[in-house]
């Protein structure tokens, strides 16, 4: 494609509700919102039905069975695993809603693994009471079905569309009244004016290898932050155990541990015995990646996943639930039946932490909602029991229910036309440069920050990470050059994802205790007296790196459950 | 997979990963479905033929493989020189 400096010509759409992102959260939000009769527009950066984590996820969804399960036991498991950081207002009702969403998916034709008419249920990693059920063909089937349901309801779908900016009301300067985006193939801008926006843009996974999805650059997070939205729990960004050489295996692959795969270090030792002698590899994710990190840092790596001892029946089940990872291994000439697979961990950033949301998906900005991995997943605390896919589906459903009411009651406000011209010109900057830095090169520089952001954190490394991120932001991002619109999407996405790295390090520096995945060498204990609080961050001023932080005490007086305080007294 | 480590590769100035590798011209019927399916915009039509343009952005989602009516697309180890 010939390089050009881009055109400011824009298509304009007017809609009632704009959903940005077409994964499980965005689809549920769009479906629910469209059922109200309102006009819904959905933007997807790739291809609806094949985009995002949702497409690549395993077939696993946590699902409550009222006849067999104890709701109170599940609830307690959620808050204890979440280290009490859970927003219990969000968690309320969610366990029952898992069954509602599954009933709905089944009604839409999604096939689940069953035996004699009942769901086959398996404990997920970290599950004691909770149970997962299994969709055949994983996210491939799920997202294909959701695409059909979205289109069937008359949702206007714009694909290959990258949203770059939220549009703010010209009247009060705060209310979100739409978004600006561009087509990453044609370059044509889209200005969508709407009564409300639902961000469902997913996690930020465009930088780190191991589970890299180039399109998931945290665009919604960055746009929301730029518009002055509150973020919460950003210090708990999640690590994920993944194979070393692949990006397509990570999502949902931890069910391999649930099926009996073991982790071995370079000496052939089953090192999880040191970390969780009872649950071993079925321990929760935090224990697993801390263990892997310790083995690698202790010189006993590389670490391997070994499923060679499992029955053929297990592999048959895995083929159905993890079709994409299995195809990936086959393409690499590997077979779980006979090969140990080199395993490591990466910063997946898909939970928790993100845009602060209440149980309806409302953010701190009027007119702006969020669902899915772009949200802070307040339900989950530091570590989820309900699978991310299911939490995202419920968040999408909830947001989709409330948004039509909000839009119906709100006065429609105008977009500042002059502002959109300014924004479009800024978007095109990397295409105007005749020389500059290639986004792939700068991404590699971002990856150099990785050793400073490992699971064991300290002040010196966090400050070094912040300094490194700033250097890239101030000296390299402004020099990015895009050869085409595809490259332009990477230039913008890289800046967005880099911002989230800096935000993560800044928040991790602030929380002076250890809890869940957040481990500080200087403060290795959990400190409930000082830190049963949420860390909230918001932009202050014009620059993305100017921010205010505050903490809020978690309102346990309102919640069904509260912890026995642990840790140091002040 | 062999015994070559990432360190060996990076020292040699190459990088290796599993990614989209080949669209078999004898099997491809140029329907263009792969250019629609790929979430990462890796494949584009060039002169009427689906062409791998941005292989580095392949996330091994296999949408191209699954959606291809003629099993013309394959993924495998791709080795390139690193800049």
């Amino acid at each position: 494609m010939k390089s050009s400096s881009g055109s400011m010509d824009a298509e304009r759409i007017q809609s009632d509700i704009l959903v940005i992102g077409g994964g499980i959260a965005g689809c549920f939000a769009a479906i629910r919102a469209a059922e109200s009769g309102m006009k819904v527009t959905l933007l997807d950066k790739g291809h609806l039905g094949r985009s995002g984590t949702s497409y690549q996820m395993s077939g696993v969804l946590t699902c409550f069975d009222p006849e067999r399960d104890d709701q109170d036991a599940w609830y307690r498991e959620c808050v204890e695993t979440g280290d009490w950081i859970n927003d219990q207002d969000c968690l309320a009702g969610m366990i029952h809603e898992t069954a509602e969403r599954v009933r709905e998916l089944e009604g839409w034709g999604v096939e689940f693994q069953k035996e004699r008419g009942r769901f086959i249920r398996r404990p997920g990693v970290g599950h004691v009471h909770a149970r997962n059920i299994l969709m055949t063909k994983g996210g491939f089937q799920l997202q294909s079905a959701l695409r059909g349901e979205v289109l069937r309801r008359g949702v206007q779908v714009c694909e290959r569309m990258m949203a770059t900016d939220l549009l703010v009301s010209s009247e009060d300067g705060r209310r979100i009244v739409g978004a600006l985006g561009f087509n990453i193939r044609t370059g044509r801008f889209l200005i969508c004016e709407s009564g409300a926006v639902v961000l469902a843009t997913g996690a930020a996974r465009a930088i780190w290898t191991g589970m890299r999805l180039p399109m998931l650059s945290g665009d919604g997070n960055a746009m929301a932050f730029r518009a002055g939205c509150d973020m919460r729990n950003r210090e708990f960004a999640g690590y994920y155990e993944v194979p070393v050489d692949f990006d397509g295996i990570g999502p949902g692959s931890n069910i391999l541990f649930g099926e009996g795969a073991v982790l071995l270090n370079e000496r052939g030792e089953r090192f999880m015995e040191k970390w969780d002698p009872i649950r071993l590899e079925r321990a929760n994710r935090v224990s697993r990646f801390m263990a892997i990190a310790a083995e690698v840092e202790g010189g006993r790596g590389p670490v391997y996943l070994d499923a060679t001892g499992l029955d053929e029946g297990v592999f048959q089940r895995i083929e159905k639930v993890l079709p994409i990872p299995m195809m990936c291994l086959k393409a690499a000439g590997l077979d779980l039946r006979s090969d140990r697979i080199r395993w490591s961990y990466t910063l997946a950033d898909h939970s928790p932490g993100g845009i602060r949301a209440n149980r309806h998906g409302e953010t701190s900005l009027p007119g702006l909602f969020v669902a899915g991995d772009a949200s802070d997943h307040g339900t989950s605390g530091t570590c989820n029991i309900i699978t991310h896919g299911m939490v995202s589906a419920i968040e999408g459903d909830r947001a989709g229910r409330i948004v039509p009411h909000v839009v119906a009651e709100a006065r429609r406000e105008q977009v500042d036309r002059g502002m959109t011209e300014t924004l479009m010109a800024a978007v095109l900057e990397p295409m105007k440069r005749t020389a500059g830095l290639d986004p792939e090169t700068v991404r590699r520089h971002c990856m150099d920050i990785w050793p400073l952001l490992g699971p064991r954190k300290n002040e010196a490394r966090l400050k070094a990470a912040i300094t490194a991120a700033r250097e890239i932001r101030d000296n390299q991002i402004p020099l990015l050059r895009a050869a085409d619109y595809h490259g332009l999407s990477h230039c913008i996405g890289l800046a967005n994802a880099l911002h989230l790295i800096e935000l993560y390090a800044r928040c991790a520096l602030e929380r002076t205790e250890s809890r869940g995945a957040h481990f500080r060498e200087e403060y290795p204990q959990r400190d409930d007296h000082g830190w049963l609080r949420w860390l909230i961050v918001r932009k202050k001023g014009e620059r993305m790196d100017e921010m205010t932080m505050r903490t809020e005490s978690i309102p346990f007086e309102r919640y069904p459950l509260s912890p026995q305080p642990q840790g140091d007294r002040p | 997979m062999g015994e070559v480590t990432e360190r060996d590769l990076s020292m040699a100035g190459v990088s290796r990963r599993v990614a989209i590798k080949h669209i078999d011209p004898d099997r491809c019927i140029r329907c263009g479905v792969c250019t629609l399916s790929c979430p990462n915009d890796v494949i584009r039509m060039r002169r009427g033929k689906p062409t791998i343009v941005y292989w580095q952005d392949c996330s091994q989602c296999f949408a191209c493989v699954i959606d291809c009516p003629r099993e013309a697309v394959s993924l495998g180890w791709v080795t390139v020189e690193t800049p």
Side-chain angles (χ1 to χ4, degrees):
Chain A
M1 180 171 288
K2 258 171 79 164
S3 168
S4 79
S5 56
S7 161
M8 303 260 288
D9 172 44
E11 181 186 352
R12 289 170 198 273
I13 291 179
Q14 305 236 318
S15 197
D16 290 325
I17 297 163
L18 174 62
V19 178
I20 305 180
I24 192 172
C27 286
F28 265 97
I31 287 165
R32 212 66 329 126
E35 285 169 350
S36 72
M38 291 212 166
K39 182 183 174 196
V40 180
T41 301
L42 183 147
L43 308 185
D44 189 88
K45 211 165 158 184
H47 178 63
L48 182 68
R50 298 287 179 266
S51 289
T53 311
S54 302
Y55 165 72
Q56 292 193 239
M57 70 182 238
S58 74
V60 165
L61 292 176
T62 307
C63 184
F64 179 73
D65 182 341
E67 286 173 25
R68 289 193 263 182
D69 295 329
D70 177 348
Q71 206 262 166
D72 291 341
W74 278 48
Y75 191 97
R76 178 166 281 281
E77 192 171 318
C78 286
V79 292
E80 283 177 348
T81 307
D83 293 305
W84 299 97
I85 295 292
N86 312 57
D87 184 327
Q88 292 187 44
D89 287 332
C90 295
L91 181 56
M94 195 172 263
I95 291 167
H96 281 280
E97 285 166 69
T98 63
E100 288 172 21
R101 299 285 71 73
V102 164
R103 229 182 341 265
E104 199 163 36
L105 286 169
E106 261 207 307
W108 293 337
V110 174
E111 184 187 55
F112 289 81
Q113 289 195 28
K114 286 184 166 176
E115 204 167 59
R116 287 193 289 272
R118 302 192 85 175
F119 291 118
I120 293 175
R121 295 173 7 122
R122 315 219 30 96
V125 286
H127 283 180
V128 174
H129 303 281
R131 290 295 179 268
N132 293 337
I133 61 175
L134 314 169
M135 294 183 285
T136 54
K137 296 192 188 164
F140 166 71
Q141 191 205 182
L142 167 74
Q143 284 304 121
S144 299
L146 288 175
R147 175 189 172 92
E149 295 303 319
V150 165
L151 292 172
R152 192 167 298 126
R153 284 165 179 74
V155 173
Q156 176 186 35
V157 175
C158 304
E159 296 183 317
R160 305 290 169 200
M161 190 63 65
M162 178 177 191
T164 58
D165 296 275
L166 294 172
L167 301 176
V168 178
S169 159
S170 55
E171 290 165 45
D172 71 3
R174 267 196 101 224
R175 184 171 200 88
I176 302 303
V177 293
L180 170 71
F182 73 97
N183 184 301
I184 66 167
R185 286 182 168 175
T186 67
R188 186 132 196 260
F189 277 103
L190 175 72
I191 296 169
C192 183
E193 302 181 24
S194 62
V197 173
V198 181
L199 290 172
T201 48
R205 311 227 306 268
I207 290 181
W208 317 109
T209 52
M211 208 150 81
R212 180 173 177 245
L213 260 69
M215 291 297 187
L216 289 184
S217 37
D219 301 338
N221 272 259
M223 289 193 290
F225 188 84
R226 194 177 308 125
C229 195
D230 282 351
M231 319 295 279
R232 180 171 63 170
N233 290 346
R234 240 346 331 171
E235 65 276 23
F236 294 112
Y239 296 86
Y240 217 84
E241 331 85 299
V242 290
V244 169
D245 296 296
F246 310 92
D247 299 295
I249 291 186
S253 64
N254 56 41
I255 71 164
L256 292 171
F257 301 113
E259 291 289 352
V262 302
L263 284 166
L264 304 173
N265 63 18
E266 189 242 354
R267 301 171 191 170
E269 294 164 347
R270 202 170 162 191
F271 56 86
M272 284 306 297
E273 285 171 358
K274 289 184 284 194
W275 289 80
D276 192 329
I278 296 171
R279 292 187 294 183
L280 298 162
E281 289 83 3
R282 289 201 171 106
N284 69 37
R285 179 175 306 121
V286 172
S287 300
R288 277 203 313 281
F289 71 69
M290 295 290 266
I292 293 171
E295 293 302 298
V296 170
E297 281 168 32
R300 293 178 295 280
V303 160
Y304 295 91
L305 180 143
D306 186 346
T308 59
L310 302 179
D311 289 337
E312 184 55 32
V314 174
F315 292 116
Q316 302 291 333
R317 188 164 52 241
I318 290 172
E319 292 271 358
K320 285 187 188 162
V321 171
L322 288 178
I324 292 167
M326 298 306 272
M327 292 170 82
C328 215
L329 288 170
K330 194 169 167 201
L334 293 167
D335 188 341
L336 284 177
R337 293 163 179 85
S338 53
D339 297 305
R340 297 181 316 170
I341 315 294
R342 216 146 55 110
W343 219 257
S344 184
Y345 65 99
T346 191
L347 191 62
D349 185 24
H350 67 176
S351 178
I355 298 167
R356 183 186 190 167
N358 68 10
R359 65 173 286 109
H360 300 295
E362 290 172 311
T363 72
S364 64
L365 291 178
L368 186 66
F369 294 75
V370 66
D373 287 347
S375 81
D376 60 354
H377 280 325
T379 309
S380 299
T382 61
C383 183
N384 61 308
I385 282 293
I386 303 174
T387 52
H388 293 127
M390 175 52 80
V391 172
S392 297
I394 293 170
E395 288 166 349
D397 171 79
R398 288 175 172 182
R401 283 175 202 275
I402 204 77
V403 172
H405 296 288
V406 170
V407 169
E409 285 160 26
R411 192 167 61 94
R412 291 295 289 264
E413 298 181 26
Q414 296 300 310
V415 166
D416 180 342
R417 295 287 164 108
M419 178 59 75
T420 56
E421 302 274 313
T422 308
L423 292 172
M424 287 194 282
V427 166
L428 290 173
E429 282 296 320
M431 292 194 76
K432 295 172 187 163
R433 291 172 195 131
T434 48
L437 297 173
D438 167 60
E440 182 60 17
T441 303
V442 178
R443 182 180 77 83
R444 300 237 180 90
H445 296 162
C446 294
M447 283 179 62
D448 290 340
I449 303 176
W450 170 247
L452 302 167
L453 286 179
R456 295 179 63 89
K457 297 184 173 60
N458 67 29
E459 184 176 328
R461 282 200 290 274
L462 287 171
K463 285 185 167 169
I466 293 165
T467 302
R470 283 192 174 152
E471 191 280 324
I472 297 172
R473 174 170 44 75
D474 292 340
N475 300 333
Q476 298 184 41
I477 297 290
L479 298 181
L480 283 170
R481 180 180 172 266
D484 54 25
Y485 295 109
H486 178 104
L488 182 62
S489 76
H490 282 249
C491 291
I492 299 169
L494 191 59
N496 291 340
L498 177 62
H499 158 74
L500 291 176
I501 291 174
E502 184 177 346
L503 193 59
Y504 172 44
R506 301 260 310 246
C507 292
L509 192 60
E510 198 70 15
R511 182 172 285 267
T512 51
E513 65 145 6
S514 290
R515 186 179 299 265
H518 170 76
F519 182 83
R520 288 285 302 267
E521 288 176 349
E522 317 96 313
Y523 312 99
Q525 302 298 326
R526 191 169 110 177
D527 176 12
D528 284 356
H529 291 281
W531 276 106
L532 269 174
R533 305 178 73 80
W534 293 316
L535 182 61
I536 318 285
V537 189
R538 180 196 285 199
K539 183 165 77 89
K540 174 184 75 169
E542 283 308 305
R543 289 165 55 95
M544 291 288 267
D545 63 332
E546 290 169 9
M547 47 188 85
T548 69
M549 296 195 180
R550 68 181 193 275
T551 63
E552 264 178 37
S553 72
I554 300 171
F556 287 108
E557 65 280 359
R558 272 209 323 264
Y559 289 169
L561 292 183
S562 41
Q564 295 297 113
Q566 283 183 32
D568 308 327
R569 285 198 166 273
Chain B
M1 193 165 140
E3 298 309 312
V4 179
T5 64
E6 278 153 40
R7 186 176 152 71
D8 298 335
L9 290 174
S10 69
M11 299 274 285
V14 299
S15 107
R16 184 182 76 157
R17 48 192 292 271
V18 172
I20 185 170
K21 195 165 171 128
H22 188 54
I23 299 177
D24 184 345
D26 294 332
R27 295 191 65 83
C28 175
I29 57 172
R30 309 182 183 195
C31 68
V33 166
C34 56
T35 69
L36 298 176
S37 291
C38 175
N40 300 310
D41 189 33
V42 167
I43 313 172
R44 296 273 190 105
M45 293 301 265
R46 291 274 189 269
R47 289 196 259 271
K49 269 179 30 175
T51 308
I52 301 169
V53 180
Y54 306 107
W55 75 267
Q56 305 93 321
D57 297 334
C58 176
S59 64
Q60 308 112 54
C61 78
F62 283 82
C64 53
V65 170
I66 294 169
D67 288 340
C68 175
R70 290 295 305 273
E71 294 173 358
V73 189
S74 56
L75 274 72
W77 290 103
V78 179
T79 305
V80 288
E81 287 179 25
T82 44

